């Protein structure tokens, strides 16, 4: 059985997130994901047929990209 959302700590974030982002960016990701998870509870609020989880991950990456950018394969604060 998969992990119950949302994430209680950055240690629970997916490997591709933890492996890529600095700690502060992981915290932004976690907060944005959890917020979006609550906000997009209702399928009618989501775009197309995306799952609640897909939508929340998309929003979380967008939140990270507001403060961070990928440079030479590493995420750096803007």
């Amino acid at each position: 059985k998969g992990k119950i959302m949302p994430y209680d700590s950055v240690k629970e974030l997916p490997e591709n997130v933890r492996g890529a982002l600095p700690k502060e960016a992981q915290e932004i990701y976690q907060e944005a994901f959890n917020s979006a998870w609550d906000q997009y509870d209702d399928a009618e609020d989501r775009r197309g047929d995306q799952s609640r989880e897909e939508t929340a991950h998309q929003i979380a990456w967008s939140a990270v990209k507001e403060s961070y950018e990928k440079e030479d394969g590493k995420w750096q604060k803007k």
Side-chain angles (χ1 to χ4, degrees):
K1 187 171 183 272
K3 162 80 182 90
I4 307 287
M5 304 300 164
Y7 298 108
D8 293 328
S9 78
V10 293
K11 293 186 185 86
E12 295 176 353
L13 292 172
E15 184 57 48
N16 68 318
V17 175
R18 282 183 299 134
L21 297 176
K23 183 142 184 8
E24 192 181 318
Q26 290 178 37
E27 289 163 358
I28 292 169
Y29 191 100
Q30 177 193 351
E31 200 173 304
F33 181 96
N34 290 352
S35 172
W37 180 258
D38 293 338
Q39 190 179 345
Y40 291 94
D41 183 17
D42 190 338
E44 290 172 16
D45 295 335
R46 301 194 287 267
R47 256 186 269 155
D49 57 0
Q50 277 192 323
S51 74
R52 185 178 181 186
E53 188 176 355
E54 283 172 325
T55 301
H57 280 300
Q58 227 172 27
I59 288 165
W61 276 114
S62 295
V64 167
K65 289 172 185 170
E66 284 176 25
S67 305
Y68 285 80
E69 58 192 351
K70 201 169 188 180
E71 220 172 271
D72 299 328
K74 282 192 195 273
W75 287 90
Q76 313 278 346
K77 206 163 175 65
K78 284 185 180 178

